[in-house]
Amino acid sequence: MPEEITIRPDPNKVLIDELSPISDKIVVMSSGAAVNGNAGWGGYALSKCAVNMMVNIYSKELVDTKIYALAPGVIDTDMVAKVISANKDRFSSIS
């Protein structure tokens, strides 16, 4: 049976509510995984889709604050190293 995943955007909303009165720009970390589906990445990809939609909605609600979702590309982390090593044929240019 698939694992159940709960996505909680409310902590992000709390931060945005705290930051918007003191900054006219907020950058939120997204990922290419939000638009590029990969087997085994369901929870991570869904959470980044939720982040992107949160930024979309809150940027319309907080019109005096520019809110950006930044997807920085491949970052050298343990998670990325594990994915690349398990899928060397798919990520040959960065392995």
XYZ file of all heavy atoms in Angstrom:
707
model
N 0.843 -1.184 0.000
C 0.000 0.000 0.000
C 0.890 1.251 0.000
O 1.834 1.336 0.781
C -0.907 -0.038 1.222
C -1.796 1.163 1.365
S -2.963 0.924 2.715
C -4.352 1.715 2.000
N 0.562 2.248 -0.834
C 1.371 3.480 -0.874
C 1.339 4.223 0.454
O 0.362 4.184 1.190
C 0.705 4.315 -1.963
C -0.152 3.374 -2.732
C -0.506 2.252 -1.811
N 2.434 4.885 0.727
C 2.539 5.683 1.948
C 1.674 6.929 1.820
O 1.611 7.563 0.772
C 3.995 6.094 2.142
C 4.231 6.912 3.374
C 5.693 7.315 3.497
O 6.552 6.674 2.881
O 5.949 8.272 4.222
N 0.972 7.274 2.869
C 0.163 8.495 2.871
C 1.045 9.686 3.197
O 1.868 9.632 4.115
C -0.946 8.387 3.917
C -1.853 9.590 3.930
C -2.992 9.450 4.918
O -3.578 8.359 5.009
O -3.275 10.437 5.614
N 0.885 10.740 2.428
C 1.699 11.933 2.613
C 0.795 13.117 2.917
O -0.199 13.340 2.228
C 2.538 12.225 1.355
C 3.508 11.072 1.116
C 3.280 13.548 1.483
C 4.233 11.161 -0.188
N 1.127 13.859 3.943
C 0.378 15.063 4.296
C 1.226 16.273 3.936
O 2.374 16.376 4.344
C 0.058 15.084 5.808
O -0.673 13.907 6.138
C -0.751 16.320 6.159
N 0.648 17.153 3.135
C 1.338 18.385 2.759
C 0.751 19.513 3.588
O -0.456 19.720 3.602
C 1.162 18.673 1.254
C 1.786 17.542 0.442
C 1.775 20.015 0.880
C 1.512 17.619 -1.026
N 1.613 20.228 4.303
C 1.165 21.292 5.185
C 1.754 22.626 4.742
O 2.843 22.988 5.164
C 1.587 20.989 6.616
C 0.975 19.702 7.126
C 0.709 19.702 8.574
N 0.286 20.988 9.066
C 0.500 21.400 10.302
N 1.121 20.650 11.144
N 0.084 22.576 10.695
N 1.039 23.373 3.903
C 1.561 24.670 3.486
C 1.401 25.765 4.537
O 1.998 26.821 4.415
C 0.733 24.995 2.236
C -0.554 24.277 2.461
C -0.193 23.019 3.223
N 0.620 25.512 5.601
C 0.343 26.560 6.579
C 1.583 27.120 7.274
O 1.634 28.321 7.535
C -0.723 26.116 7.596
C -0.457 24.758 8.203
O -0.121 23.834 7.447
O -0.597 24.613 9.424
N 2.639 26.327 7.582
C 3.835 26.963 8.169
C 4.461 27.983 7.213
O 4.964 29.021 7.653
C 4.784 25.792 8.424
C 3.900 24.600 8.526
C 2.766 24.874 7.576
N 4.416 27.689 5.920
C 4.927 28.645 4.938
C 4.078 29.916 4.924
O 4.605 31.018 4.815
C 4.944 28.020 3.543
C 5.956 26.915 3.436
O 7.130 27.124 3.678
N 5.499 25.737 3.092
N 2.785 29.766 5.047
C 1.887 30.925 5.068
C 2.160 31.782 6.294
O 2.154 33.007 6.216
C 0.433 30.461 5.037
C -0.601 31.559 5.161
C -0.552 32.562 4.019
C -1.776 33.449 4.063
N -1.504 34.834 3.795
N 2.434 31.158 7.423
C 2.765 31.911 8.634
C 4.021 32.755 8.394
O 4.068 33.939 8.734
C 2.964 30.962 9.849
C 3.556 31.702 11.026
C 1.641 30.312 10.227
N 5.036 32.151 7.776
C 6.261 32.894 7.480
C 6.006 34.041 6.506
O 6.518 35.151 6.681
C 7.324 31.956 6.901
C 7.985 31.020 7.892
C 8.848 30.004 7.165
C 8.807 31.793 8.898
N 5.216 33.776 5.480
C 4.902 34.833 4.507
C 4.148 35.968 5.182
O 4.429 37.149 4.946
C 4.131 34.263 3.307
C 5.073 33.403 2.461
C 3.513 35.374 2.463
C 4.414 32.636 1.351
N 3.207 35.633 6.054
C 2.466 36.673 6.784
C 3.391 37.500 7.676
O 3.194 38.697 7.847
C 1.354 36.051 7.635
C 0.176 35.583 6.794
O 0.059 36.008 5.623
O -0.618 34.787 7.310
N 4.410 36.867 8.256
C 5.362 37.580 9.101
C 6.320 38.441 8.281
O 6.706 39.530 8.695
C 6.164 36.590 9.956
C 5.345 35.889 11.018
C 4.874 36.827 12.120
O 5.652 37.705 12.534
O 3.726 36.675 12.552
N 6.726 37.946 7.115
C 7.706 38.657 6.300
C 7.108 39.774 5.439
O 7.768 40.784 5.199
C 8.439 37.670 5.379
C 9.384 36.698 6.059
C 9.874 35.653 5.061
C 10.558 37.438 6.676
N 5.873 39.601 4.985
C 5.314 40.574 4.040
C 5.221 42.004 4.586
O 5.437 42.945 3.808
C 3.965 40.096 3.499
O 3.016 39.976 4.517
N 4.975 42.228 5.871
C 4.960 43.616 6.343
C 6.351 44.272 6.409
O 6.459 45.490 6.414
C 4.369 43.531 7.751
C 3.708 42.219 7.846
C 4.462 41.321 6.914
N 7.396 43.445 6.447
C 8.736 44.018 6.605
C 9.603 43.903 5.349
O 10.722 44.405 5.318
C 9.480 43.383 7.800
C 9.643 41.873 7.616
C 8.771 43.710 9.105
C 10.487 41.200 8.680
N 9.087 43.238 4.326
C 9.844 43.100 3.082
C 8.887 43.134 1.899
O 7.804 42.555 1.961
C 10.623 41.784 3.076
O 11.313 41.644 1.853
N 9.297 43.800 0.837
C 8.433 43.840 -0.339
C 8.773 42.730 -1.329
O 8.152 42.606 -2.371
C 8.485 45.204 -1.023
C 9.872 45.581 -1.512
O 10.832 44.881 -1.172
O 9.978 46.588 -2.233
N 9.764 41.871 -0.984
C 10.141 40.736 -1.816
C 10.404 39.520 -0.928
O 11.107 39.617 0.074
C 11.405 41.030 -2.628
C 11.241 42.115 -3.656
C 12.563 42.381 -4.373
C 12.501 43.648 -5.173
N 12.503 44.865 -4.376
N 9.847 38.376 -1.334
C 10.054 37.112 -0.617
C 10.409 36.050 -1.656
O 9.733 35.929 -2.674
C 8.791 36.693 0.159
C 8.433 37.745 1.218
C 8.984 35.317 0.794
C 7.101 37.509 1.896
N 11.464 35.288 -1.378
C 11.872 34.197 -2.269
C 11.634 32.877 -1.542
O 12.077 32.690 -0.416
C 13.356 34.324 -2.669
C 13.771 33.150 -3.542
C 13.605 35.641 -3.386
N 10.931 31.976 -2.215
C 10.602 30.667 -1.675
C 11.307 29.618 -2.542
O 11.334 29.744 -3.766
C 9.068 30.449 -1.703
C 8.702 29.074 -1.187
C 8.354 31.531 -0.904
N 11.891 28.597 -1.922
C 12.606 27.572 -2.680
C 11.640 26.565 -3.296
O 10.858 25.940 -2.601
C 13.598 26.830 -1.782
C 14.692 27.717 -1.243
S 15.604 28.620 -2.509
C 16.448 27.274 -3.304
N 11.732 26.418 -4.605
C 10.964 25.431 -5.338
C 11.923 24.399 -5.918
O 13.049 24.253 -5.429
C 10.148 26.114 -6.440
O 9.321 25.160 -7.101
N 11.488 23.706 -6.952
C 12.330 22.683 -7.568
C 11.796 22.351 -8.950
O 10.586 22.441 -9.196
C 12.308 21.414 -6.708
O 12.938 20.347 -7.379
N 12.690 21.948 -9.820
C 12.266 21.446 -11.118
C 11.389 20.214 -10.988
O 10.617 19.889 -11.891
N 11.483 19.543 -9.843
C 10.646 18.367 -9.598
C 9.159 18.714 -9.584
O 8.316 17.841 -9.766
C 11.040 17.708 -8.272
N 8.844 19.982 -9.395
C 7.430 20.401 -9.401
C 6.808 20.275 -10.786
O 5.593 20.154 -10.910
C 7.309 21.849 -8.916
N 7.637 20.301 -11.825
C 7.113 20.222 -13.196
C 7.646 19.014 -13.962
O 7.147 18.708 -15.038
C 7.398 21.516 -13.993
C 6.630 22.684 -13.412
C 8.877 21.830 -14.015
N 8.661 18.340 -13.441
C 9.236 17.159 -14.093
C 9.030 15.946 -13.201
O 9.712 15.796 -12.203
C 10.747 17.343 -14.327
C 11.033 18.541 -15.205
O 10.426 18.702 -16.247
N 11.940 19.388 -14.769
N 8.085 15.110 -13.544
C 7.815 13.939 -12.721
C 8.895 12.883 -12.852
O 9.361 12.608 -13.953
N 9.327 12.335 -11.746
C 10.291 11.239 -11.726
C 9.770 10.130 -10.825
O 9.236 10.416 -9.740
C 11.652 11.717 -11.192
C 12.355 12.651 -12.147
O 12.678 12.267 -13.264
N 12.571 13.877 -11.734
N 9.931 8.908 -11.259
C 9.495 7.765 -10.459
C 10.141 7.815 -9.080
O 11.338 8.089 -8.959
C 9.865 6.460 -11.164
N 9.346 7.603 -8.057
C 9.851 7.591 -6.697
C 9.926 8.956 -6.027
O 10.261 9.059 -4.866
N 9.610 9.999 -6.765
C 9.706 11.364 -6.225
C 8.333 11.953 -5.889
O 8.203 13.158 -5.738
C 10.386 12.279 -7.235
C 11.847 12.099 -7.396
C 12.542 10.922 -7.375
C 12.805 13.123 -7.623
N 13.862 11.158 -7.577
C 14.059 12.503 -7.745
C 12.721 14.496 -7.745
C 15.216 13.213 -7.968
C 13.882 15.200 -7.981
C 15.115 14.565 -8.087
N 7.307 11.128 -5.798
C 5.945 11.624 -5.642
C 5.761 12.648 -4.538
O 5.258 13.748 -4.774
N 6.174 12.314 -3.331
C 5.978 13.224 -2.195
C 6.724 14.533 -2.363
O 6.185 15.612 -2.117
N 7.972 14.441 -2.792
C 8.786 15.644 -2.969
C 8.202 16.524 -4.076
O 8.040 17.735 -3.904
C 10.225 15.251 -3.295
C 11.148 16.434 -3.456
C 11.588 17.139 -2.342
C 11.575 16.844 -4.712
C 12.441 18.231 -2.479
C 12.429 17.926 -4.856
C 12.856 18.617 -3.746
O 13.685 19.692 -3.880
N 7.867 15.900 -5.216
C 7.316 16.664 -6.337
C 5.989 17.321 -5.958
O 5.753 18.494 -6.274
C 7.136 15.754 -7.551
N 5.133 16.592 -5.269
C 3.853 17.165 -4.843
C 4.042 18.326 -3.876
O 3.333 19.331 -3.951
C 2.973 16.097 -4.194
C 2.366 15.081 -5.157
C 1.713 13.945 -4.390
C 1.364 15.746 -6.079
N 5.003 18.202 -2.978
C 5.231 19.297 -2.021
C 5.719 20.547 -2.749
O 5.336 21.669 -2.390
C 6.223 18.881 -0.932
O 7.532 18.759 -1.440
N 6.544 20.385 -3.785
C 7.025 21.547 -4.536
C 5.930 22.118 -5.431
O 5.884 23.334 -5.648
C 8.279 21.191 -5.338
C 9.469 20.896 -4.436
C 9.755 22.044 -3.468
C 10.950 21.784 -2.580
N 11.282 22.935 -1.754
N 5.024 21.271 -5.938
C 3.846 21.784 -6.660
C 2.997 22.638 -5.728
O 2.510 23.703 -6.123
C 2.998 20.632 -7.198
S 3.694 19.768 -8.594
N 2.841 22.162 -4.497
C 2.075 22.921 -3.511
C 2.744 24.258 -3.209
O 2.069 25.290 -3.082
C 1.902 22.106 -2.227
N 4.065 24.262 -3.111
C 4.798 25.511 -2.887
C 4.563 26.480 -4.038
O 4.297 27.666 -3.828
C 6.318 25.234 -2.703
C 7.136 26.503 -2.868
C 6.576 24.603 -1.354
N 4.650 25.988 -5.267
C 4.434 26.856 -6.427
C 3.029 27.448 -6.430
O 2.846 28.635 -6.721
C 4.689 26.094 -7.723
C 6.152 25.818 -7.966
O 7.016 26.275 -7.215
N 6.443 25.066 -8.998
N 2.023 26.636 -6.108
C 0.658 27.145 -6.080
C 0.463 28.117 -4.923
O -0.237 29.124 -5.060
C -0.345 26.001 -5.992
C -1.792 26.470 -6.066
S -2.197 27.518 -7.508
C -1.999 26.355 -8.838
N 1.097 27.842 -3.782
C 1.020 28.761 -2.654
C 1.565 30.131 -3.057
O 0.950 31.162 -2.781
C 1.819 28.209 -1.472
C 1.857 29.123 -0.266
S 3.076 28.601 0.955
C 4.603 28.955 0.093
N 2.706 30.151 -3.731
C 3.293 31.409 -4.182
C 2.358 32.098 -5.168
O 2.139 33.311 -5.093
C 4.690 31.167 -4.800
C 5.178 32.392 -5.560
C 5.675 30.779 -3.716
N 1.778 31.340 -6.070
C 0.843 31.899 -7.047
C -0.340 32.571 -6.351
O -0.698 33.712 -6.662
C 0.367 30.768 -7.977
C -0.549 31.228 -9.069
O -1.566 31.844 -8.814
N -0.195 30.896 -10.292
N -0.941 31.882 -5.409
C -2.126 32.405 -4.714
C -1.771 33.593 -3.821
O -2.419 34.644 -3.876
C -2.795 31.292 -3.885
C -3.423 30.263 -4.830
C -3.836 31.868 -2.925
C -3.867 28.993 -4.148
N -0.728 33.437 -2.988
C -0.397 34.508 -2.050
C 0.121 35.757 -2.742
O -0.050 36.859 -2.245
C 0.579 34.019 -0.987
C 0.006 32.914 -0.123
C 0.828 31.977 0.481
C -1.366 32.789 0.078
C 0.305 30.958 1.265
C -1.884 31.772 0.851
C -1.054 30.865 1.440
O -1.568 29.858 2.218
N 0.735 35.598 -3.908
C 1.175 36.790 -4.640
C -0.017 37.593 -5.147
O 0.082 38.800 -5.329
C 2.104 36.409 -5.794
O 1.407 35.670 -6.768
N -1.146 36.936 -5.324
C -2.373 37.643 -5.707
C -3.060 38.268 -4.488
O -3.737 39.283 -4.601
C -3.323 36.689 -6.421
C -2.813 36.276 -7.793
C -3.736 35.284 -8.450
C -3.294 34.974 -9.860
N -2.348 33.876 -9.952
N -2.893 37.646 -3.331
C -3.500 38.172 -2.105
C -2.674 39.301 -1.496
O -3.239 40.232 -0.919
C -3.671 37.050 -1.077
C -4.686 35.997 -1.496
C -4.796 34.868 -0.494
O -4.092 34.877 0.538
O -5.602 33.955 -0.746
N -1.377 39.216 -1.593
C -0.483 40.215 -1.004
C 0.132 41.039 -2.136
O 1.309 40.919 -2.460
C 0.609 39.521 -0.183
C 0.113 38.616 0.942
C 1.235 37.767 1.502
C -0.546 39.443 2.038
N -0.672 41.876 -2.742
C -0.269 42.565 -3.972
C 0.889 43.543 -3.780
O 1.555 43.900 -4.755
C -1.476 43.280 -4.638
C -2.501 42.249 -5.090
C -2.104 44.284 -3.683
N 1.159 43.967 -2.562
C 2.278 44.880 -2.316
C 3.597 44.146 -2.076
O 4.635 44.777 -1.882
C 1.972 45.786 -1.119
C 0.826 46.743 -1.407
O 0.641 47.111 -2.585
O 0.108 47.116 -0.456
N 3.547 42.823 -2.077
C 4.737 42.012 -1.863
C 4.969 41.134 -3.081
O 4.066 40.443 -3.530
C 4.572 41.114 -0.617
O 4.271 41.934 0.509
C 5.827 40.312 -0.335
N 6.159 41.172 -3.626
C 6.527 40.284 -4.733
C 7.018 38.981 -4.129
O 7.956 38.975 -3.330
C 7.634 40.893 -5.602
C 7.250 42.200 -6.240
C 6.170 41.973 -7.273
C 5.839 43.283 -7.965
N 4.598 43.237 -8.685
N 6.372 37.885 -4.482
C 6.747 36.571 -3.960
C 7.202 35.713 -5.136
O 6.480 35.564 -6.112
C 5.572 35.906 -3.216
C 5.009 36.856 -2.152
C 6.021 34.589 -2.591
C 3.765 36.358 -1.471
N 8.403 35.178 -5.022
C 9.004 34.410 -6.098
C 9.249 32.974 -5.649
O 9.668 32.744 -4.512
C 10.361 35.003 -6.502
C 10.289 36.441 -6.916
C 10.551 37.453 -5.990
C 9.976 36.806 -8.213
C 10.496 38.794 -6.354
C 9.918 38.140 -8.600
C 10.178 39.126 -7.654
O 10.128 40.446 -8.022
N 9.018 32.018 -6.538
C 9.404 30.632 -6.315
C 10.645 30.381 -7.165
O 10.595 30.474 -8.392
C 8.278 29.685 -6.711
N 11.756 30.092 -6.522
C 13.029 29.892 -7.205
C 13.382 28.409 -7.226
O 13.439 27.762 -6.185
C 14.137 30.667 -6.478
C 15.551 30.445 -6.976
C 15.723 31.059 -8.360
C 16.549 31.031 -5.998
N 13.604 27.882 -8.429
C 14.077 26.509 -8.601
C 15.542 26.596 -9.026
O 15.839 26.891 -10.181
C 13.241 25.777 -9.642
N 16.476 26.391 -8.097
C 17.890 26.680 -8.369
C 18.616 25.668 -9.249
O 19.763 25.890 -9.602
C 18.502 26.705 -6.972
C 17.653 25.777 -6.191
C 16.254 25.960 -6.729
N 17.986 24.574 -9.596
C 18.688 23.554 -10.375
C 19.280 22.499 -9.464
O 18.946 22.417 -8.288
N 20.151 21.693 -10.005
C 20.728 20.583 -9.248
C 21.674 21.123 -8.175
O 22.588 21.883 -8.459
C 21.484 19.611 -10.182
C 22.102 18.476 -9.386
C 20.541 19.062 -11.246
N 21.426 20.721 -6.943
C 22.231 21.128 -5.792
C 22.907 19.864 -5.233
O 22.281 18.814 -5.141
C 21.349 21.769 -4.689
C 20.537 22.925 -5.230
C 22.184 22.177 -3.489
C 21.322 24.151 -5.572
N 24.145 19.964 -4.857
C 24.904 18.830 -4.345
C 24.460 18.512 -2.916
O 24.978 19.076 -1.946
C 26.399 19.146 -4.393
C 27.256 17.953 -4.018
O 26.729 16.826 -3.964
O 28.460 18.148 -3.783
N 23.468 17.620 -2.810
C 22.976 17.184 -1.500
C 23.013 15.658 -1.443
O 23.148 14.987 -2.476
C 21.526 17.646 -1.248
O 20.667 17.002 -2.206
C 21.393 19.154 -1.364
N 22.856 15.091 -0.260
C 22.814 13.639 -0.118
C 21.659 13.042 -0.902
O 21.797 11.985 -1.518
C 22.707 13.242 1.359
C 23.971 13.529 2.147
O 25.037 13.731 1.519
O 23.891 13.567 3.394
N 20.490 13.714 -0.883
C 19.328 13.210 -1.611
C 19.615 13.140 -3.108
O 19.349 12.131 -3.757
C 18.098 14.094 -1.367
C 16.861 13.610 -2.116
S 15.434 14.707 -1.964
C 15.848 15.960 -3.154
N 20.193 14.196 -3.661
C 20.494 14.232 -5.094
C 21.537 13.169 -5.444
O 21.402 12.471 -6.455
C 20.950 15.642 -5.523
C 21.487 15.634 -6.940
C 19.795 16.619 -5.403
N 22.551 13.017 -4.621
C 23.579 11.999 -4.874
C 22.965 10.603 -4.911
O 23.324 9.786 -5.766
C 24.670 12.081 -3.804
N 22.040 10.342 -4.021
C 21.380 9.035 -3.979
C 20.545 8.810 -5.238
O 20.596 7.741 -5.837
C 20.499 8.942 -2.732
C 19.844 7.618 -2.536
C 19.072 7.564 -1.236
C 18.401 6.225 -1.050
N 17.628 6.163 0.189
N 19.809 9.816 -5.658
C 18.980 9.703 -6.861
C 19.856 9.488 -8.095
O 19.583 8.631 -8.926
C 18.083 10.954 -7.034
C 17.437 10.979 -8.397
C 17.040 10.999 -5.938
N 20.916 10.270 -8.206
C 21.808 10.159 -9.371
C 22.476 8.793 -9.413
O 22.531 8.150 -10.462
C 22.843 11.297 -9.375
C 22.143 12.631 -9.665
C 23.940 11.033 -10.403
C 23.027 13.846 -9.481
N 22.964 8.311 -8.271
C 23.653 7.013 -8.261
C 22.703 5.864 -8.589
O 23.114 4.870 -9.171
C 24.349 6.774 -6.921
O 23.400 6.609 -5.890
N 21.431 6.012 -8.264
C 20.450 4.968 -8.560
C 19.928 5.059 -9.992
O 19.299 4.124 -10.477
C 19.286 5.053 -7.573
N 20.189 6.179 -10.669
C 19.663 6.405 -12.020
C 20.744 6.978 -12.933
O 20.515 7.952 -13.648
C 18.478 7.377 -11.967
C 17.336 6.873 -11.131
O 16.551 6.063 -11.575
N 17.257 7.343 -9.891
N 21.925 6.387 -12.928
C 23.060 6.932 -13.678
C 22.757 7.097 -15.162
O 23.237 8.039 -15.785
C 24.300 6.078 -13.478
C 24.866 6.216 -12.092
C 26.117 5.401 -11.908
C 26.593 5.581 -10.471
N 27.756 4.852 -10.155
N 21.949 6.208 -15.735
C 21.616 6.305 -17.156
C 20.770 7.548 -17.459
O 20.869 8.132 -18.521
C 20.905 5.052 -17.629
C 19.644 4.745 -16.832
O 19.662 4.905 -15.590
O 18.639 4.341 -17.455
N 19.948 7.984 -16.518
C 19.088 9.154 -16.723
C 19.795 10.462 -16.429
O 19.394 11.511 -16.893
C 17.840 9.045 -15.847
C 16.935 7.916 -16.289
C 15.624 7.901 -15.556
N 14.915 9.143 -15.767
C 14.112 9.683 -14.861
N 13.932 9.119 -13.716
N 13.490 10.812 -15.127
N 20.849 10.426 -15.607
C 21.542 11.635 -15.197
C 23.027 11.575 -15.553
O 23.873 12.034 -14.803
C 21.379 11.851 -13.686
C 19.953 12.010 -13.249
C 19.273 10.964 -12.653
C 19.281 13.211 -13.436
C 17.948 11.116 -12.252
C 17.963 13.362 -13.043
C 17.304 12.314 -12.445
N 23.345 11.028 -16.702
C 24.748 10.819 -17.079
C 25.536 12.131 -17.193
O 26.721 12.154 -16.924
C 24.833 10.060 -18.392
O 24.182 10.790 -19.417
N 24.878 13.208 -17.525
C 25.604 14.475 -17.696
C 26.023 15.102 -16.373
O 26.890 15.973 -16.353
C 24.756 15.473 -18.487
O 23.596 15.810 -17.761
N 25.432 14.679 -15.260
C 25.795 15.269 -13.973
C 26.340 14.264 -12.986
O 26.654 14.598 -11.868
C 24.594 16.012 -13.339
C 23.400 15.090 -13.148
C 24.262 17.246 -14.141
C 22.254 15.716 -12.400
N 26.461 13.007 -13.377
C 26.969 11.997 -12.422
C 28.466 11.896 -12.477
O 29.126 12.438 -13.296
C 26.327 10.642 -12.670
O 26.549 10.214 -13.987
